[in-house]
Amino acid sequence: MPTKSFPLSHSQLQEIVKKYPTPFHIYNEHAIRENIRALQKAFAWAPAFREQFAVKALPNPRIVQILHEEGAGTDCSSKAELLISDYAGVKGEEILLTSNDTPADEFQKAIELGAIINLDDISHLDYLEKNAGLPEILCFRYNPGDLMEGNDIIGKPTEAKYGLTRDQLFEAYRMAKEKGVRRFGLHTMVASNERRTEAFLFTAKLMFTLAGELKERLGIHVEFVNLGGGFGIPYRPEEEPLNLMEIGEGIHKLYEEMMVPKGLGDVAIMTESGRAMTGPAGWLVSTVLHEKKTYKDYIGLDSCMANLMRPAMYGAYHHITISGKESAPCDHIYDITGSLCENNDKFAIDRKLPKIDIGDLVIIHDTGAHGSAMGFNYNGKLWCAELLLREDGSIELIRRAETIDDYFATLRYPGSIIK
């Protein structure tokens, strides 16, 4: 039966827990570096290629620094993410700000950093010019509408709040050119956790067609085409990983057929993965606190959906193993739950697992993207620590656990009842 691996032995994990109490997320540096290298290999044919790591997936400066060392830039959607990029050594046009109902101060910070600005709506062009000035290089996000079906996570493009229609797109580029912008890129993002090769090829075909039409109709020779992210990962042990080389070669063929004949053979390719870079390289480690037997058998952990929201929010599957019991028969059925005062605070429902005992260490897999990143303080729950398993085998603290003093910090102000 297929299974999933964890890079530490039971005894190693027990030693780590002595220094860093659970719950915590732990990330594997070597796996992250291997993931981005595999993506770069798939697009090595491009005249230039850069992965713009989607900071929202794992907004930790140390992780961003590691990916930057491997050649990645960043895709940001907030001032904090811009600052994380800057702290991690990502500079200038290595940074992409993808606007999304963006306030003026975020545009201003992006301009200050020299970032590429990717606008989400035609109306944002005037807002940007008025509040921050126009950038050196500008990009617009295309929403293909009913040309693409979307998926359960990101939704149907026709119902998505993101991007410009085809007609708006050409008008926006025309307006930007008239305002004096001379350098442009082209962007879309229409999939999330997509694992079908043909979906990425269809996206590339759409974008290469648009790039050709922008040159023909407006004389705009884009510098890059950002194909977005959405590269899926196998959350279930029986699922096959995405064939990145097949995707890369398929897009290469389309590039040669559609871009090169139109004089666009120098256009760079970008992607903005998050999940595919860090998702499989992260785990949430928790300790079993309680076992409850009522109408079902429940195992209560010291973590909750504040540490990993995806199962409750999307009904998403995350594989679970019990440290030290990896070879034991899965002859018990449990709901694995957290302590949040919400009934959907469950990591797994009716999951077949080995017999679980109080004090066992539970490993929840594939939490390296949209895990800690989606944390929150509902019920006064505190953010847990994040650890990095270095390539030399050492453990590095890259986010300390939030404290109760941190939680109350914003409630202490002149005149507050909290002293």
Side-chain angles (χ1 to χ4, degrees), residues 207-269:
M207 298 304 283
F208 294 163
T209 298
L210 280 176
E213 290 187 29
L214 281 170
K215 184 176 182 182
E216 292 166 4
R217 290 172 55 177
L218 298 176
I220 289 175
H221 187 122
V222 295
E223 295 186 15
F224 65 84
V225 172
N226 186 331
L227 298 172
F231 296 106
I233 64 172
Y235 282 99
R236 296 177 182 270
E238 67 272 16
E239 293 175 342
E240 292 294 324
L242 202 62
N243 190 333
L244 287 175
M245 291 304 295
E246 181 180 77
I247 292 168
E249 282 308 307
I251 293 174
H252 184 194
K253 185 172 183 290
L254 290 170
Y255 188 95
E256 292 293 328
E257 292 172 355
M258 300 177 68
M259 297 287 278
V260 173
K262 293 185 177 180
L264 295 169
D266 61 343
V267 174
I269 298 295

Short mmCIF file of all heavy atoms in Angstrom, two decimals, residues 207-269:
data_model
loop_
_atom_site.label_atom_id
_atom_site.label_comp_id
_atom_site.label_asym_id
_atom_site.label_seq_id
_atom_site.Cartn_x
_atom_site.Cartn_y
_atom_site.Cartn_z
N MET A 207 -2.18 32.37 -23.62
CA MET A 207 -1.30 33.50 -23.34
C MET A 207 -0.38 33.82 -24.51
O MET A 207 -0.10 34.99 -24.79
CB MET A 207 -0.49 33.21 -22.08
CG MET A 207 -1.36 33.02 -20.84
SD MET A 207 -2.44 34.43 -20.52
CE MET A 207 -1.25 35.57 -19.82
N PHE A 208 0.09 32.81 -25.21
CA PHE A 208 0.94 33.06 -26.38
C PHE A 208 0.12 33.71 -27.49
O PHE A 208 0.64 34.56 -28.23
CB PHE A 208 1.57 31.75 -26.86
CG PHE A 208 2.57 31.16 -25.88
CD1 PHE A 208 2.97 29.83 -26.01
CD2 PHE A 208 3.11 31.92 -24.85
CE1 PHE A 208 3.89 29.28 -25.11
CE2 PHE A 208 4.02 31.37 -23.96
CZ PHE A 208 4.41 30.04 -24.09
N THR A 209 -1.14 33.34 -27.61
CA THR A 209 -2.02 34.00 -28.59
C THR A 209 -2.17 35.47 -28.25
O THR A 209 -2.07 36.35 -29.13
CB THR A 209 -3.40 33.32 -28.60
OG1 THR A 209 -3.25 31.96 -29.01
CG2 THR A 209 -4.35 34.02 -29.57
N LEU A 210 -2.40 35.77 -26.98
CA LEU A 210 -2.54 37.16 -26.55
C LEU A 210 -1.26 37.96 -26.78
O LEU A 210 -1.32 39.11 -27.22
CB LEU A 210 -2.91 37.22 -25.07
CG LEU A 210 -4.36 36.98 -24.70
CD1 LEU A 210 -4.52 36.97 -23.18
CD2 LEU A 210 -5.26 38.05 -25.29
N ALA A 211 -0.13 37.36 -26.48
CA ALA A 211 1.15 38.05 -26.68
C ALA A 211 1.33 38.43 -28.14
O ALA A 211 1.78 39.55 -28.46
CB ALA A 211 2.31 37.17 -26.21
N GLY A 212 0.97 37.52 -29.03
CA GLY A 212 1.06 37.82 -30.47
C GLY A 212 0.12 38.94 -30.88
O GLY A 212 0.49 39.82 -31.67
N GLU A 213 -1.09 38.94 -30.35
CA GLU A 213 -2.06 39.97 -30.71
C GLU A 213 -1.68 41.33 -30.13
O GLU A 213 -1.94 42.36 -30.77
CB GLU A 213 -3.46 39.56 -30.23
CG GLU A 213 -4.03 38.38 -31.01
CD GLU A 213 -5.47 38.11 -30.64
OE1 GLU A 213 -6.19 39.05 -30.26
OE2 GLU A 213 -5.88 36.94 -30.73
N LEU A 214 -1.09 41.35 -28.94
CA LEU A 214 -0.63 42.62 -28.38
C LEU A 214 0.43 43.26 -29.28
O LEU A 214 0.44 44.49 -29.47
CB LEU A 214 -0.06 42.41 -26.98
CG LEU A 214 -1.06 42.27 -25.84
CD1 LEU A 214 -0.37 41.83 -24.55
CD2 LEU A 214 -1.80 43.59 -25.60
N LYS A 215 1.29 42.45 -29.84
CA LYS A 215 2.31 42.98 -30.74
C LYS A 215 1.69 43.47 -32.04
O LYS A 215 2.01 44.56 -32.52
CB LYS A 215 3.37 41.91 -31.01
CG LYS A 215 4.52 42.43 -31.87
CD LYS A 215 5.61 41.39 -32.07
CE LYS A 215 6.75 41.98 -32.89
NZ LYS A 215 7.82 40.99 -33.16
N GLU A 216 0.78 42.68 -32.59
CA GLU A 216 0.16 43.04 -33.87
C GLU A 216 -0.75 44.26 -33.76
O GLU A 216 -0.72 45.15 -34.62
CB GLU A 216 -0.65 41.85 -34.40
CG GLU A 216 0.21 40.67 -34.82
CD GLU A 216 -0.61 39.40 -35.02
OE1 GLU A 216 -1.86 39.47 -34.89
OE2 GLU A 216 -0.01 38.33 -35.29
N ARG A 217 -1.55 44.33 -32.71
CA ARG A 217 -2.56 45.38 -32.59
C ARG A 217 -2.05 46.65 -31.96
O ARG A 217 -2.46 47.76 -32.34
CB ARG A 217 -3.77 44.86 -31.80
CG ARG A 217 -4.58 43.82 -32.55
CD ARG A 217 -5.65 43.17 -31.69
NE ARG A 217 -6.56 44.11 -31.06
CZ ARG A 217 -7.60 43.76 -30.32
NH1 ARG A 217 -7.87 42.46 -30.13
NH2 ARG A 217 -8.38 44.69 -29.77
N LEU A 218 -1.13 46.52 -30.98
CA LEU A 218 -0.70 47.70 -30.22
C LEU A 218 0.80 47.96 -30.32
O LEU A 218 1.29 48.95 -29.76
CB LEU A 218 -1.08 47.53 -28.75
CG LEU A 218 -2.58 47.42 -28.44
CD1 LEU A 218 -2.80 47.16 -26.95
CD2 LEU A 218 -3.32 48.68 -28.87
N GLY A 219 1.52 47.08 -31.00
CA GLY A 219 2.97 47.26 -31.10
C GLY A 219 3.67 47.03 -29.78
O GLY A 219 4.78 47.53 -29.56
N ILE A 220 3.05 46.28 -28.89
CA ILE A 220 3.64 45.99 -27.58
C ILE A 220 4.32 44.62 -27.63
O ILE A 220 3.68 43.60 -27.87
CB ILE A 220 2.56 46.01 -26.47
CG1 ILE A 220 2.11 47.45 -26.23
CG2 ILE A 220 3.10 45.39 -25.18
CD1 ILE A 220 0.98 47.59 -25.23
N HIS A 221 5.61 44.64 -27.40
CA HIS A 221 6.42 43.43 -27.36
C HIS A 221 6.67 43.10 -25.89
O HIS A 221 7.53 43.70 -25.24
CB HIS A 221 7.75 43.67 -28.09
CG HIS A 221 8.60 42.45 -28.25
ND1 HIS A 221 9.00 41.98 -29.48
CD2 HIS A 221 9.14 41.59 -27.35
CE1 HIS A 221 9.75 40.90 -29.32
NE2 HIS A 221 9.86 40.66 -28.03
N VAL A 222 5.88 42.18 -25.34
CA VAL A 222 6.00 41.91 -23.90
C VAL A 222 7.36 41.29 -23.59
O VAL A 222 7.94 40.58 -24.42
CB VAL A 222 4.87 40.97 -23.40
CG1 VAL A 222 3.51 41.65 -23.53
CG2 VAL A 222 4.88 39.63 -24.11
N GLU A 223 7.86 41.60 -22.40
CA GLU A 223 9.14 41.06 -21.98
C GLU A 223 9.02 39.67 -21.38
O GLU A 223 9.96 38.89 -21.42
CB GLU A 223 9.80 42.00 -20.96
CG GLU A 223 10.16 43.36 -21.56
CD GLU A 223 10.94 44.22 -20.57
OE1 GLU A 223 11.45 43.68 -19.56
OE2 GLU A 223 11.06 45.43 -20.83
N PHE A 224 7.85 39.38 -20.81
CA PHE A 224 7.64 38.07 -20.21
C PHE A 224 6.17 37.69 -20.29
O PHE A 224 5.29 38.54 -20.38
CB PHE A 224 8.11 38.04 -18.75
CG PHE A 224 7.33 38.93 -17.82
CD1 PHE A 224 6.13 38.50 -17.25
CD2 PHE A 224 7.78 40.21 -17.50
CE1 PHE A 224 5.40 39.31 -16.39
CE2 PHE A 224 7.06 41.03 -16.65
CZ PHE A 224 5.87 40.58 -16.10
N VAL A 225 5.95 36.40 -20.26
CA VAL A 225 4.61 35.84 -20.09
C VAL A 225 4.63 35.04 -18.79
O VAL A 225 5.39 34.09 -18.66
CB VAL A 225 4.19 34.94 -21.27
CG1 VAL A 225 2.87 34.23 -20.96
CG2 VAL A 225 4.06 35.76 -22.55
N ASN A 226 3.81 35.47 -17.84
CA ASN A 226 3.69 34.77 -16.56
C ASN A 226 2.49 33.84 -16.66
O ASN A 226 1.35 34.28 -16.75
CB ASN A 226 3.51 35.78 -15.42
CG ASN A 226 3.54 35.13 -14.05
OD1 ASN A 226 3.17 33.96 -13.89
ND2 ASN A 226 3.96 35.87 -13.04
N LEU A 227 2.76 32.55 -16.65
CA LEU A 227 1.72 31.54 -16.82
C LEU A 227 1.01 31.19 -15.52
O LEU A 227 0.13 30.32 -15.50
CB LEU A 227 2.34 30.27 -17.41
CG LEU A 227 2.96 30.44 -18.80
CD1 LEU A 227 3.72 29.18 -19.20
CD2 LEU A 227 1.91 30.79 -19.84
N GLY A 228 1.36 31.88 -14.43
CA GLY A 228 0.71 31.63 -13.15
C GLY A 228 1.27 30.39 -12.48
O GLY A 228 2.30 29.83 -12.86
N GLY A 229 0.58 29.97 -11.45
CA GLY A 229 1.01 28.79 -10.70
C GLY A 229 -0.01 27.68 -10.86
O GLY A 229 -0.39 27.32 -11.97
N GLY A 230 -0.43 27.16 -9.74
CA GLY A 230 -1.44 26.10 -9.79
C GLY A 230 -0.90 24.71 -9.94
O GLY A 230 -1.67 23.75 -10.06
N PHE A 231 0.43 24.54 -9.97
CA PHE A 231 1.00 23.20 -10.09
C PHE A 231 0.62 22.38 -8.87
O PHE A 231 0.97 22.71 -7.75
CB PHE A 231 2.52 23.28 -10.22
CG PHE A 231 3.00 23.97 -11.47
CD1 PHE A 231 3.53 25.25 -11.42
CD2 PHE A 231 2.91 23.34 -12.70
CE1 PHE A 231 3.98 25.89 -12.57
CE2 PHE A 231 3.34 23.97 -13.85
CZ PHE A 231 3.87 25.25 -13.79
N GLY A 232 -0.11 21.30 -9.10
CA GLY A 232 -0.63 20.50 -7.99
C GLY A 232 0.37 19.53 -7.43
O GLY A 232 1.41 19.24 -8.03
N ILE A 233 0.06 19.02 -6.25
CA ILE A 233 0.91 18.03 -5.60
C ILE A 233 0.04 16.83 -5.20
O ILE A 233 -1.18 16.97 -5.03
CB ILE A 233 1.63 18.60 -4.36
CG1 ILE A 233 0.62 19.02 -3.27
CG2 ILE A 233 2.52 19.78 -4.75
CD1 ILE A 233 1.25 19.42 -1.95
N PRO A 234 0.63 15.67 -5.03
CA PRO A 234 -0.14 14.48 -4.65
C PRO A 234 -0.36 14.41 -3.14
O PRO A 234 0.49 13.93 -2.40
CB PRO A 234 0.74 13.33 -5.14
CG PRO A 234 2.13 13.87 -5.10
CD PRO A 234 2.03 15.35 -5.35
N TYR A 235 -1.48 14.90 -2.68
CA TYR A 235 -1.78 14.87 -1.26
C TYR A 235 -2.03 13.44 -0.77
O TYR A 235 -1.76 13.11 0.37
CB TYR A 235 -2.99 15.74 -0.94
CG TYR A 235 -2.68 17.23 -0.91
CD1 TYR A 235 -2.95 18.04 -2.00
CD2 TYR A 235 -2.10 17.82 0.21
CE1 TYR A 235 -2.67 19.40 -1.98
CE2 TYR A 235 -1.80 19.17 0.25
CZ TYR A 235 -2.09 19.96 -0.85
OH TYR A 235 -1.79 21.29 -0.83
N ARG A 236 -2.58 12.61 -1.63
CA ARG A 236 -2.84 11.22 -1.25
C ARG A 236 -1.66 10.34 -1.68
O ARG A 236 -1.09 10.55 -2.76
CB ARG A 236 -4.15 10.73 -1.90
CG ARG A 236 -5.38 11.49 -1.41
CD ARG A 236 -6.64 11.04 -2.13
NE ARG A 236 -7.80 11.79 -1.71
CZ ARG A 236 -8.59 11.45 -0.69
NH1 ARG A 236 -8.34 10.32 -0.02
NH2 ARG A 236 -9.63 12.19 -0.35
N PRO A 237 -1.32 9.34 -0.90
CA PRO A 237 -0.16 8.50 -1.22
C PRO A 237 -0.26 7.81 -2.57
O PRO A 237 0.76 7.58 -3.23
CB PRO A 237 -0.15 7.47 -0.09
CG PRO A 237 -0.90 8.09 1.02
CD PRO A 237 -1.93 8.97 0.39
N GLU A 238 -1.46 7.49 -2.99
CA GLU A 238 -1.64 6.76 -4.25
C GLU A 238 -1.59 7.66 -5.48
O GLU A 238 -1.55 7.18 -6.62
CB GLU A 238 -2.95 5.97 -4.24
CG GLU A 238 -4.22 6.82 -4.23
CD GLU A 238 -4.69 7.19 -2.82
OE1 GLU A 238 -3.88 7.05 -1.87
OE2 GLU A 238 -5.85 7.61 -2.67
N GLU A 239 -1.58 8.98 -5.28
CA GLU A 239 -1.57 9.90 -6.42
C GLU A 239 -0.16 10.05 -6.99
O GLU A 239 0.82 10.03 -6.24
CB GLU A 239 -2.11 11.26 -6.01
CG GLU A 239 -3.60 11.25 -5.67
CD GLU A 239 -4.08 12.59 -5.14
OE1 GLU A 239 -3.24 13.41 -4.71
OE2 GLU A 239 -5.31 12.81 -5.14
N GLU A 240 -0.10 10.22 -8.30
CA GLU A 240 1.19 10.43 -8.96
C GLU A 240 1.56 11.91 -8.95
O GLU A 240 0.68 12.77 -9.10
CB GLU A 240 1.12 9.95 -10.42
CG GLU A 240 0.98 8.44 -10.57
CD GLU A 240 2.21 7.71 -10.07
OE1 GLU A 240 3.32 8.21 -10.25
OE2 GLU A 240 2.04 6.62 -9.48
N PRO A 241 2.83 12.23 -8.78
CA PRO A 241 3.23 13.64 -8.86
C PRO A 241 3.09 14.18 -10.27
O PRO A 241 3.04 13.43 -11.24
CB PRO A 241 4.71 13.61 -8.43
CG PRO A 241 5.16 12.21 -8.69
CD PRO A 241 3.96 11.34 -8.49
N LEU A 242 3.00 15.49 -10.35
CA LEU A 242 2.89 16.17 -11.63
C LEU A 242 4.13 15.90 -12.48
O LEU A 242 5.25 15.84 -11.97
CB LEU A 242 2.78 17.67 -11.37
CG LEU A 242 2.17 18.58 -12.43
CD1 LEU A 242 0.73 18.20 -12.70
CD2 LEU A 242 2.25 20.02 -11.95
N ASN A 243 3.93 15.71 -13.80
CA ASN A 243 5.04 15.50 -14.71
C ASN A 243 5.51 16.85 -15.25
O ASN A 243 5.05 17.32 -16.30
CB ASN A 243 4.62 14.57 -15.85
CG ASN A 243 5.80 14.12 -16.70
OD1 ASN A 243 6.81 14.81 -16.78
ND2 ASN A 243 5.66 12.96 -17.31
N LEU A 244 6.41 17.49 -14.51
CA LEU A 244 6.87 18.83 -14.88
C LEU A 244 7.60 18.84 -16.21
O LEU A 244 7.46 19.79 -17.00
CB LEU A 244 7.77 19.40 -13.78
CG LEU A 244 7.07 19.84 -12.49
CD1 LEU A 244 8.12 20.27 -11.46
CD2 LEU A 244 6.11 21.00 -12.77
N MET A 245 8.38 17.80 -16.49
CA MET A 245 9.10 17.77 -17.76
C MET A 245 8.14 17.69 -18.94
O MET A 245 8.35 18.33 -19.98
CB MET A 245 10.07 16.59 -17.78
CG MET A 245 11.25 16.74 -16.83
SD MET A 245 12.22 18.25 -17.07
CE MET A 245 12.89 17.96 -18.72
N GLU A 246 7.09 16.93 -18.80
CA GLU A 246 6.07 16.84 -19.85
C GLU A 246 5.40 18.19 -20.07
O GLU A 246 5.18 18.61 -21.21
CB GLU A 246 5.03 15.80 -19.46
CG GLU A 246 3.92 15.59 -20.48
CD GLU A 246 2.92 14.55 -20.04
OE1 GLU A 246 2.06 14.86 -19.19
OE2 GLU A 246 3.00 13.41 -20.55
N ILE A 247 5.09 18.88 -18.98
CA ILE A 247 4.49 20.21 -19.09
C ILE A 247 5.46 21.18 -19.75
O ILE A 247 5.10 21.92 -20.66
CB ILE A 247 4.08 20.73 -17.70
CG1 ILE A 247 2.92 19.90 -17.16
CG2 ILE A 247 3.69 22.20 -17.74
CD1 ILE A 247 2.63 20.14 -15.69
N GLY A 248 6.71 21.17 -19.29
CA GLY A 248 7.71 22.07 -19.86
C GLY A 248 7.93 21.85 -21.33
O GLY A 248 8.00 22.81 -22.11
N GLU A 249 8.03 20.60 -21.75
CA GLU A 249 8.24 20.31 -23.16
C GLU A 249 7.02 20.67 -24.00
O GLU A 249 7.15 21.14 -25.14
CB GLU A 249 8.61 18.83 -23.34
CG GLU A 249 10.06 18.53 -23.00
CD GLU A 249 11.03 19.44 -23.73
OE1 GLU A 249 10.95 19.55 -24.97
OE2 GLU A 249 11.86 20.08 -23.06
N GLY A 250 5.83 20.45 -23.44
CA GLY A 250 4.62 20.83 -24.15
C GLY A 250 4.53 22.32 -24.38
O GLY A 250 4.16 22.79 -25.46
N ILE A 251 4.89 23.09 -23.37
CA ILE A 251 4.87 24.55 -23.49
C ILE A 251 5.98 25.01 -24.44
O ILE A 251 5.81 25.95 -25.22
CB ILE A 251 4.99 25.20 -22.11
CG1 ILE A 251 3.72 24.89 -21.29
CG2 ILE A 251 5.19 26.71 -22.22
CD1 ILE A 251 3.76 25.36 -19.85
N HIS A 252 7.13 24.32 -24.39
CA HIS A 252 8.23 24.63 -25.31
C HIS A 252 7.77 24.50 -26.77
O HIS A 252 8.03 25.36 -27.61
CB HIS A 252 9.40 23.69 -25.03
CG HIS A 252 10.61 23.97 -25.85
ND1 HIS A 252 11.67 23.09 -25.95
CD2 HIS A 252 10.96 25.02 -26.65
CE1 HIS A 252 12.60 23.59 -26.73
NE2 HIS A 252 12.18 24.77 -27.19
N LYS A 253 7.07 23.43 -27.06
CA LYS A 253 6.58 23.19 -28.42
C LYS A 253 5.64 24.30 -28.86
O LYS A 253 5.74 24.83 -29.98
CB LYS A 253 5.88 21.83 -28.48
CG LYS A 253 5.41 21.40 -29.87
CD LYS A 253 4.91 19.95 -29.81
CE LYS A 253 4.50 19.45 -31.20
NZ LYS A 253 3.27 20.11 -31.67
N LEU A 254 4.73 24.71 -27.97
CA LEU A 254 3.81 25.81 -28.28
C LEU A 254 4.57 27.12 -28.48
O LEU A 254 4.22 27.92 -29.36
CB LEU A 254 2.78 25.95 -27.16
CG LEU A 254 1.75 24.83 -27.03
CD1 LEU A 254 0.96 24.98 -25.73
CD2 LEU A 254 0.80 24.84 -28.23
N TYR A 255 5.58 27.34 -27.69
CA TYR A 255 6.41 28.55 -27.80
C TYR A 255 7.07 28.63 -29.17
O TYR A 255 7.06 29.68 -29.82
CB TYR A 255 7.45 28.54 -26.69
CG TYR A 255 8.26 29.81 -26.53
CD1 TYR A 255 7.88 30.78 -25.61
CD2 TYR A 255 9.43 30.01 -27.26
CE1 TYR A 255 8.64 31.93 -25.43
CE2 TYR A 255 10.19 31.15 -27.09
CZ TYR A 255 9.78 32.12 -26.17
OH TYR A 255 10.54 33.26 -26.01
N GLU A 256 7.63 27.51 -29.61
CA GLU A 256 8.29 27.48 -30.92
C GLU A 256 7.28 27.68 -32.05
O GLU A 256 7.59 28.33 -33.05
CB GLU A 256 9.01 26.14 -31.10
CG GLU A 256 10.20 25.93 -30.18
CD GLU A 256 11.35 26.89 -30.47
OE1 GLU A 256 11.51 27.27 -31.66
OE2 GLU A 256 12.07 27.27 -29.54
N GLU A 257 6.08 27.15 -31.87
CA GLU A 257 5.07 27.25 -32.92
C GLU A 257 4.38 28.61 -32.96
O GLU A 257 4.02 29.10 -34.04
CB GLU A 257 3.99 26.18 -32.72
CG GLU A 257 4.47 24.76 -32.93
CD GLU A 257 3.42 23.73 -32.51
OE1 GLU A 257 2.35 24.15 -31.97
OE2 GLU A 257 3.65 22.52 -32.72
N MET A 258 4.21 29.24 -31.79
CA MET A 258 3.37 30.43 -31.71
C MET A 258 4.14 31.72 -31.45
O MET A 258 3.74 32.79 -31.95
CB MET A 258 2.33 30.25 -30.60
CG MET A 258 1.41 29.05 -30.79
SD MET A 258 0.26 28.83 -29.41
CE MET A 258 -0.78 30.28 -29.63
N MET A 259 5.20 31.67 -30.69
CA MET A 259 5.92 32.89 -30.32
C MET A 259 7.06 33.22 -31.27
O MET A 259 7.18 34.35 -31.74
CB MET A 259 6.46 32.74 -28.89
CG MET A 259 5.39 32.57 -27.82
SD MET A 259 4.51 34.11 -27.47
CE MET A 259 5.66 34.87 -26.33
N VAL A 260 7.87 32.22 -31.57
CA VAL A 260 9.05 32.46 -32.41
C VAL A 260 8.70 33.03 -33.79
O VAL A 260 9.31 34.02 -34.22
CB VAL A 260 9.89 31.17 -32.53
CG1 VAL A 260 11.03 31.36 -33.52
CG2 VAL A 260 10.46 30.78 -31.15
N PRO A 261 7.71 32.47 -34.50
CA PRO A 261 7.38 33.03 -35.83
C PRO A 261 6.90 34.48 -35.80
O PRO A 261 6.98 35.17 -36.81
CB PRO A 261 6.26 32.10 -36.33
CG PRO A 261 6.44 30.84 -35.58
CD PRO A 261 6.91 31.26 -34.23
N LYS A 262 6.42 34.94 -34.65
CA LYS A 262 5.94 36.32 -34.54
C LYS A 262 7.00 37.27 -33.99
O LYS A 262 6.70 38.39 -33.59
CB LYS A 262 4.69 36.36 -33.66
CG LYS A 262 3.50 35.64 -34.31
CD LYS A 262 2.24 35.79 -33.50
CE LYS A 262 1.07 35.11 -34.24
NZ LYS A 262 -0.20 35.22 -33.48
N GLY A 263 8.23 36.80 -33.97
CA GLY A 263 9.31 37.64 -33.49
C GLY A 263 9.34 37.78 -31.97
O GLY A 263 9.92 38.74 -31.44
N LEU A 264 8.72 36.84 -31.28
CA LEU A 264 8.66 36.89 -29.82
C LEU A 264 9.50 35.80 -29.17
O LEU A 264 9.24 35.36 -28.06
CB LEU A 264 7.20 36.78 -29.37
CG LEU A 264 6.28 37.93 -29.78
CD1 LEU A 264 4.82 37.58 -29.51
CD2 LEU A 264 6.66 39.21 -29.07
N GLY A 265 10.54 35.38 -29.88
CA GLY A 265 11.39 34.30 -29.40
C GLY A 265 12.33 34.70 -28.29
O GLY A 265 13.10 33.87 -27.80
N ASP A 266 12.28 35.98 -27.86
CA ASP A 266 13.11 36.44 -26.75
C ASP A 266 12.29 36.64 -25.47
O ASP A 266 12.83 37.06 -24.44
CB ASP A 266 13.79 37.76 -27.11
CG ASP A 266 12.79 38.88 -27.42
OD1 ASP A 266 11.60 38.57 -27.68
OD2 ASP A 266 13.20 40.06 -27.41
N VAL A 267 11.01 36.33 -25.52
CA VAL A 267 10.13 36.58 -24.38
C VAL A 267 10.39 35.57 -23.26
O VAL A 267 10.42 34.35 -23.50
CB VAL A 267 8.65 36.54 -24.81
CG1 VAL A 267 7.73 36.66 -23.59
CG2 VAL A 267 8.36 37.66 -25.81
N ALA A 268 10.59 36.07 -22.05
CA ALA A 268 10.86 35.21 -20.89
C ALA A 268 9.58 34.53 -20.43
O ALA A 268 8.47 35.00 -20.69
CB ALA A 268 11.45 36.04 -19.76
N ILE A 269 9.76 33.44 -19.74
CA ILE A 269 8.64 32.71 -19.14
C ILE A 269 8.76 32.82 -17.61
O ILE A 269 9.85 32.70 -17.05
CB ILE A 269 8.65 31.23 -19.54
CG1 ILE A 269 8.49 31.08 -21.06
CG2 ILE A 269 7.54 30.46 -18.81
CD1 ILE A 269 7.17 31.55 -21.61
#
